[in-house]
Amino acid sequence: MRVGADLNNMREAWWVPTIDVAHPLVGVVPWQINGERSRPHCIMVNRSGRRFTNEAANYNAFGAAFHVLDVSSFTYVNHPAWMIFDQHYLTRYGLAGHRPDCPAPDCPAPDWMVRASTVAELADTVGIPAEVLKETVSRWNRHAAESCDPDFGRGDSVFDRWWGDPDFGDSAASTIGPLDTPPFYAVEVRSGTLGTKGGPRTDPDGCVLDVDGRVIPGLYAAGNAMASVMGMTYGGAGGTLGPALVFGYLAGRHSAGRVPTDHNGAGGKL
Ligand SMILES: Cc1cc2nc3c(=O)[nH]c(=O)nc-3n(C[C@H](O)[C@H](O)[C@H](O)COP(=O)(O)OP(=O)(O)OC[C@H]3O[C@@H](n4cnc5c(N)ncnc54)[C@H](O)[C@@H]3O)c2cc1C
């Protein structure tokens, strides 16, 4: 900034939903949930007890869903959220390294999971309006019987289905299933990040631009330190490492071209 670099994309990050998981050796660790929230028999709700997005959407897109603001109260309406799932989910998939090895209710749940025998009791325990959560779950279950999500389009895209349960192939059932097997569980979900994506604006060679759009000679940026060419979006697997490699290569090639060589091929000073 002191040499006049123009910054861009500073409100964005590589967002990812996370849960806090207690690990016996290292204490509480944030655990990113990707496949976990995309599998059948689980949904995500806000503190009003309502679903607010396609739970199987790409992790970066959740940044926008989590940061919806109520402009009267200046609170984030969807953050933190709750991941809600049933015993069928936990027995079949486990969560964050925990898989019950005996039948519920005898099998204890880890203390980072809230468990209750009914949806209403679960809502009361975590402070969500019980009637709303019951209606949310029964609406989800009605649609799950048809393997569709008219509310948020979960399971419509190849991306959603790929993250789901492969036993259901490339069908919406790979990510859509009812919450109908007690007991029921809730885990708090928060907005985490995989890294930054705001920084100096560059040209296609990774040269940093000043506030007038002119190249600042000899100054380059690539990877998470540059203003990402992705803006607020995510291009798919490798969406961060790919551009980082490409712009690192382009910046390196450009800076090498700037170095005058002597007759022995050794680089000189800029
Ligand atoms: C858990 C996790 C999973 C991920 N999974 C994927 C994935 O599957 N696919 C994908 O594409 N991306 C993934 N990413 C993102 C990807 O790893 C990062 O975007 C990428 O590593 C960023 O590379 P970088 O070189 O820009 O920054 P970094 O890898 O952070 O490198 C910056 C380096 O600079 C060093 N440094 C910092 N300050 C200084 C200083 N003052 N002087 C000298 N050195 C300094 C740091 O120590 C570090 O080594 C994941 C990230 C996380 C956290």
Side-chain angles (χ1 to χ4, degrees):
M1 290 171 72
R2 189 164 289 130
V3 296
D6 189 17
L7 304 185
N8 202 10
N9 223 29
M10 295 299 285
R11 288 194 64 203
E12 294 299 330
W14 296 109
W15 308 113
V16 67
T18 61
I19 59 176
D20 281 346
V21 176
H23 188 281
L25 298 179
V26 293
V28 176
V29 291
W31 182 290
Q32 54 168 307
I33 49 168
N34 289 315
E36 293 88 341
R37 61 185 157 78
S38 306
R39 294 177 187 128
H41 313 285
C42 88
I43 57 172
M44 219 184 276
V45 298
N46 59 21
R47 63 179 159 276
S48 303
R50 296 190 173 85
R51 290 180 67 222
F52 55 92
T53 193
N54 168 8
E55 295 88 346
N58 79 70
Y59 51 80
N60 184 68
F62 266 81
F66 277 141
H67 299 151
V68 172
L69 198 65
D70 176 335
V71 294
S72 299
S73 62
F74 285 94
T75 52
Y76 291 111
V77 290
N78 301 325
H79 187 265
W82 293 94
M83 181 175 153
I84 310 282
F85 48 99
D86 68 355
Q87 186 63 40
H88 185 116
Y89 175 99
L90 195 62
T91 305
R92 184 169 168 84
Y93 306 115
L95 180 62
H98 170 77
R99 185 187 290 269
D101 52 11
C102 52
D106 305 331
C107 202
D111 51 12
W112 48 270
M113 259 181 219
V114 178
R115 181 166 75 182
S117 44
T118 65
V119 170
E121 193 186 316
L122 189 73
D124 286 342
T125 310
V126 300
I128 292 173
E131 286 309 311
V132 182
L133 187 63
K134 274 169 59 183
E135 170 50 29
T136 298
V137 169
S138 50
R139 182 175 172 82
W140 169 257
N141 288 351
R142 280 199 303 278
H143 292 145
E146 310 285 325
S147 273
C148 67
D149 175 22
D151 296 333
F152 296 102
R154 176 166 163 186
D156 287 356
S157 84
V158 173
F159 184 94
D160 300 358
R161 301 193 293 266
W162 185 84
W163 276 105
D165 182 335
D167 279 0
F168 293 94
D170 184 31
S171 75
S174 65
T175 182
I176 295 177
L179 279 76
D180 56 5
T181 312
F184 299 93
Y185 297 85
V187 178
E188 193 177 68
V189 183
R190 293 188 290 149
S191 183
T193 70
L194 291 167
T196 61
K197 56 156 56 166
R201 202 159 63 87
T202 60
D203 75 1
D205 287 314
C207 299
V208 173
L209 302 174
D210 70 12
V211 291
D212 296 315
R214 292 177 309 219
V215 166
I216 300 176
L219 187 60
Y220 296 86
N224 282 2
M226 77 191 287
S228 175
V229 295
M230 298 283 173
M232 70 177 288
T233 66
Y234 162 73
T240 56
L241 291 171
L245 282 169
V246 167
F247 283 96
Y249 170 76
L250 290 170
R253 197 175 63 168
H254 189 274
S255 70
R258 286 174 46 81
V259 181
T261 51
D262 62 24
H263 292 302
N264 298 320
K269 277 186 163 180
L270 279 177

